[in-house]
Amino acid sequence: MHGNGDEYQPDSRGEVRSAAQGRASDAARMHVAVAVLLGVSACTGLLFPLVWGPTSNTRGLAAIVGDSFVLAAVAVGLSVVAWGVGLLWSRSAREKLPEAPVRYGPVPGLGPAQTEYVVRKWIGDSAPTATLLHLAEQSVVRLTSVDDGLWQIEGIGTPQRWRQIDPISRVLADALGIRSPGAVFVADGSPTSGYAVREGMRAMSDACRSWSAREELLVVSVRTWIGRAMACLCTVLAALGLLGVLGPTLLGAPFVAFVIGSLGVFAAGTGLRHTPTGRQVWAGAAGFERVLSGRSTTIGSAAVRECFLAAVPYAFAFGVADRWSAQYHRVTGRPAPHPDWYPSPTLYDDEAGLQWAAKPHN
């Protein structure tokens, strides 16, 4: 599929750092939960202070700052320090990776989901679609557009052919029940279809974590998890402080400041670190993503039609299919080719075709 001998040779002249960024839904929910909890506590404790201690009748300004302005000044100073410590902890949670060399093809043996996981440390909603496109390109499934918004994915690969497919792609095929010849899955955006895709995506995510640990590509970041534990503890203490349980409600401010400064430890991917082996695989995967996203001025051997089409599923995994097709047109002067295995002109449209039908709808 990629016969060019220099196809995978890195070009270290690139100047753009290719650290992929994204948001995971679990991190977003954590941020919302923290904000709601602190917001409710702050409104109750600062705007409407009721107690200074569980049995006290203290009201008004005294319930907020207490009887000592020295104590209030110390609390404010500690808040500034706590915010700085939390911010430093957040920054230390972000892995510092070198600039990725340019790579004109995927890392051998890695499917779209694995490639995305190595770069981002998580997979996004485009992973199922990218994987199905990859399976179609590998001729183990057949894609059929039955009607507007309704797609049929039929298994056509032999057991021997399936053994050559990466393990994460096989996990999705198993979840959708398309591993055997003649087996069919209908993607129509319905709740039933969406549930199956969502379960398949969850299985893929679990399989990626197991695979990366088994291959010793990623390890748990102890520093990040300690920061998360401290942020959770400070959230509880902040709530107690702002409710006046610990004394004047201002005593909760240092804990609030630390939580705000340390929110970065909950960002997607911060709980993992690449091993030396993992960094080598990351360099290839991130270098390929760099070419797909158009941050490289050349596309090398991917200018060949077959190589370009083989890279399309990976472009979908990273959400840059439109940029990948535009990059091909810019470099070659020809429109992006359309694959025989995709029976619709909507391949590069993110809001139509299989891209919509195979989304993990809630």
Side-chain angles (χ1 to χ4, degrees):
M1 180 167 57
H2 302 286
N4 193 325
D6 63 353
E7 173 185 355
Y8 298 115
Q9 297 302 317
D11 178 0
S12 60
R13 294 173 296 177
E15 297 179 356
V16 183
R17 188 177 302 274
S18 65
Q21 299 177 351
R23 292 181 180 177
S25 58
D26 56 342
R29 287 194 296 268
M30 177 63 72
H31 290 186
V32 171
V34 170
V36 171
L37 178 59
L38 295 182
V40 172
S41 299
C43 289
T44 305
L46 292 178
L47 299 181
F48 306 102
L50 300 178
V51 296
W52 176 2
T55 60
S56 175
N57 292 323
T58 305
R59 298 291 187 273
L61 184 62
I64 298 176
V65 300
D67 297 328
S68 172
F69 285 99
V70 174
L71 177 63
V74 170
V76 172
L78 287 177
S79 298
V80 175
V81 173
W83 175 80
V85 171
L87 190 62
L88 289 175
W89 212 300
S90 290
R91 290 180 177 176
S92 69
R94 294 194 292 267
E95 184 178 14
K96 295 178 177 61
L97 293 168
E99 184 178 52
V102 171
R103 186 185 183 93
Y104 298 122
V107 178
L110 297 193
Q114 290 169 298
T115 302
E116 181 187 15
Y117 190 82
V118 168
V119 174
R120 294 178 171 172
K121 304 175 187 175
W122 52 275
I123 59 174
D125 289 345
S126 297
T129 300
T131 300
L132 290 175
L133 294 175
H134 177 63
L135 295 176
E137 191 273 332
Q138 292 290 309
S139 301
V140 291
V141 303
R142 179 186 296 117
L143 305 177
T144 305
S145 178
V146 179
D147 197 356
D148 184 27
L150 190 152
W151 284 71
Q152 178 176 289
I153 298 96
E154 178 186 1
I156 59 174
T158 63
Q160 180 180 4
R161 189 74 184 92
W162 275 107
R163 282 194 292 270
Q164 299 174 10
I165 303 299
D166 67 275
I168 310 304
S169 297
R170 293 201 302 265
V171 166
L172 179 64
D174 286 333
L176 301 183
I178 53 176
R179 277 283 294 274
S180 57
V184 173
F185 172 76
V186 176
D188 56 4
S190 66
T192 302
S193 148
Y195 176 79
V197 174
R198 191 165 58 250
E199 289 301 305
M201 182 175 171
R202 183 177 295 112
M204 291 172 68
S205 182
D206 293 340
C208 282
R209 282 193 292 269
S210 300
W211 163 76
S212 65
R214 185 172 60 253
E215 298 296 327
E216 299 182 347
L217 303 179
L218 292 166
V219 293
V220 173
S221 172
V222 177
R223 177 191 296 270
T224 299
W225 283 98
I226 291 176
R228 291 179 178 180
M230 291 178 60
C232 292
L233 175 61
C234 286
T235 300
V236 176
L237 295 176
L240 295 176
L242 293 176
L243 289 173
V245 176
L246 304 178
T249 55
L250 190 62
L251 293 181
F255 302 110
V256 174
F258 179 82
V259 172
I260 293 174
S262 64
L263 284 178
V265 300
F266 294 102
T270 56
L272 297 171
R273 286 286 190 278
H274 289 90
T275 64
T277 302
R279 287 200 172 204
Q280 294 178 5
V281 179
W282 169 87
F288 186 37
E289 186 272 339
R290 179 176 171 179
V291 173
L292 294 173
S293 63
R295 298 199 305 273
S296 171
T297 57
T298 62
I299 61 175
S301 57
V304 179
R305 182 180 189 275
E306 290 74 14
C307 297
F308 170 85
L309 292 176
V312 165
Y314 296 85
F316 272 97
F318 289 109
V320 295
D322 55 342
R323 280 185 269 173
W324 180 229
S325 61
Q327 175 87 327
Y328 180 91
H329 183 269
R330 180 185 65 80
V331 172
T332 66
R334 302 187 302 271
H338 192 83
D340 298 333
W341 41 264
Y342 192 82
S344 172
T346 61
L347 177 59
Y348 304 111
D349 186 347
D350 293 337
E351 300 300 326
L354 183 64
Q355 292 78 271
W356 177 85
K359 278 186 178 180
H361 298 279
N362 294 324

